[in-house]
């Protein structure tokens, strides 16, 4: 616990230093990040509620785990610079959709779509953008359902609409994406054609596993 607090303080200090360097007032930056953290809590709660309700109905959990993260100050700075934008808080809020990220790891492919549908029906959620990399996987084999949504957070004197990136994927999709991320994503490794084919083949096999497990689930659930 102490260690966690220590790390948290270190990263706050690091964030403050980086933001001061680029002229964003550290206290303003911390406030904005606290709002994003509140938005993450709102989204996590919504999925936890859906998980509880589904498990009462079907006697199993559609969600295996939820992992959330705030984009680091260095990544925020890097992404704005890549987009050719000044590093200002206004540009963060207007141009970055993934400062707050929630990844929902589901048991079966059908759970991904059932949860997304139930979540999007909620009247305080606005869908900004959806990318279905499950029905249309990326060229490297990456599969996941991505949604950018706006969710309100209620503060003592105001309501703020916050953008959150949600990635829904199965355990098999997450297994592949996590390992591929470690091996390649954002790294400057030269991946040979052969290695890309191998990764793609692993993605295809993980999709086949998902389909076989889903068939078993349908058989069991009738
Ligand atoms: P991190 O470290 O996970 O946050 P955009 O964010 O809109 O500018 P893009 O590419 O249009 O960029 O967004 P997209 O396609 O929705 O993908 C964004 C996120 O999806 C990435 O975030 C990854 O988390 C994940 N992702 C997308 N493609 C791949 C892939 O090929 N492999 C893996 N492992 N993950 C992928 P970040 O910010 O790049 O990284």
């Amino acid at each position: 616990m102490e260690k966690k607090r220590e790390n948290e303080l270190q990263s706050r200090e690091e964030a403050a230093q980086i933001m001061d360097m680029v002229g964003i007032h550290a206290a303003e930056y911390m406030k904005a990040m606290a709002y994003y953290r509140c938005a993450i809590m709102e989204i996590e709660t919504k999925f936890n509620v859906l998980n509880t309700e589904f498990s009462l109905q079907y006697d199993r959990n559609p969600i295996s785990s939820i992992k959330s993260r705030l984009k680091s100050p260095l990544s925020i700075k890097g992404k704005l610079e890549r987009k050719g934008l000044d590093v200002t808080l206004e540009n963060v809020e207007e141009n970055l959709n993934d400062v707050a990220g929630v990844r929902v790891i589901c048991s079966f492919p059908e759970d991904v779509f059932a949860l997304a549908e139930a979540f999007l029906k909620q009247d305080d959620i606005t869908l900004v953008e959806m990318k279905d990399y499950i029905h249309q996987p990326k060229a490297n084999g990456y599969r996941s359902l991505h949604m950018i949504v706006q969710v309100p957070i209620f503060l003592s004197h105001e309501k703020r609409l916050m953008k959150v990136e949600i990635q829904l994927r199965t355990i098999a999709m997450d297994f592949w994406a996590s390992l591929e991320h470690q091996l390649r994503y954002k790294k400057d490794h030269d991946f040979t054609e052969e290695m890309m084919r191998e990764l793609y083949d692993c993605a295809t096999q993980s999709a086949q596993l998902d389909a076989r497990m889903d068939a078993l689930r349908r058989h069991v659930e009738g």
Side-chain angles (χ1 to χ4, degrees):
M1 195 66 185
E2 264 314 300
K3 190 80 202 148
K4 196 177 163 212
R5 175 111 189 100
E6 203 177 289
N7 289 342
E8 223 166 69
L9 287 176
Q10 270 172 8
S11 61
R12 274 177 195 220
E13 228 160 74
E14 180 209 24
Q17 278 167 9
I18 294 167
M19 288 303 143
D20 268 346
M21 258 164 24
V22 292
I24 295 183
H25 196 270
E28 288 303 307
Y29 178 78
M30 293 303 185
K31 194 157 95 179
M33 291 305 120
Y35 294 159
Y36 280 112
R37 230 175 279 123
C38 295
I40 286 177
M41 287 192 271
E42 291 285 353
I43 300 291
E44 283 182 348
T45 301
K46 283 174 178 293
F47 279 103
N48 281 323
V49 168
L50 287 173
N51 192 37
T52 303
E53 195 221 342
F54 272 60
S55 61
L56 286 174
Q57 216 172 327
Y58 301 106
D59 212 15
R60 66 174 185 83
N61 288 319
I63 297 179
S64 161
S65 62
I66 300 180
K67 299 176 198 161
S68 301
R69 66 109 182 91
L70 266 187
K71 210 170 182 68
S72 75
L74 266 185
S75 301
I76 289 179
K77 182 172 168 286
K79 192 158 186 179
L80 284 177
E81 286 170 353
R82 279 199 301 281
K83 284 175 175 253
L85 296 167
D86 290 339
V87 186
T88 65
L89 217 40
E90 210 168 67
N91 277 341
V92 172
E93 283 165 1
E94 273 170 26
N95 297 285
L96 299 190
N97 292 330
D98 64 342
V99 175
V102 177
R103 189 171 285 158
V104 184
I105 320 292
C106 303
S107 305
F108 297 95
E110 212 168 282
D111 295 332
V112 167
F113 294 102
L115 284 164
E117 196 189 336
F119 171 81
L120 290 174
K121 266 197 217 140
Q122 302 185 8
D123 59 13
D124 54 350
I125 292 294
T126 307
L127 179 65
V128 176
E129 188 185 312
M130 168 120 83
K131 289 183 196 163
D132 184 351
Y133 293 128
I134 296 180
H135 289 115
Q136 276 110 28
K138 288 180 73 167
N140 61 357
Y142 175 79
R143 294 180 303 136
S144 272
L145 182 66
H146 290 194
M147 306 190 288
I148 307 292
V149 299
Q150 249 180 352
V151 62
I153 57 166
F154 295 90
L155 305 164
S156 48
H157 297 295
E158 60 171 328
K159 167 178 141 182
R160 291 180 79 101
L161 291 176
M162 305 298 300
K163 274 190 256 176
V164 179
E165 183 192 71
I166 303 171
Q167 299 179 350
L168 288 124
R169 48 170 81 149
T170 62
I171 299 167
M173 294 171 200
D174 189 53
F175 162 77
W176 182 92
S178 303
L179 299 191
E180 187 260 3
H181 190 275
Q182 281 186 35
L183 289 173
R184 192 182 68 96
Y185 203 56
K186 287 180 175 170
K187 299 274 187 302
D188 300 325
H189 280 295
D190 275 342
F191 256 63
T192 60
E193 285 287 317
E194 167 88 40
M195 288 156 98
M196 308 265 270
R197 264 200 305 277
E198 184 67 5
L199 265 176
Y200 184 80
D201 188 48
C202 290
T204 307
Q205 287 198 26
S206 90
Q208 284 165 356
L209 274 179
D210 262 340
R212 288 170 67 183
M213 295 304 286
D214 221 14
L216 280 171
R217 178 195 59 78
R218 277 197 299 274
H219 188 72
V220 169
E221 290 179 358

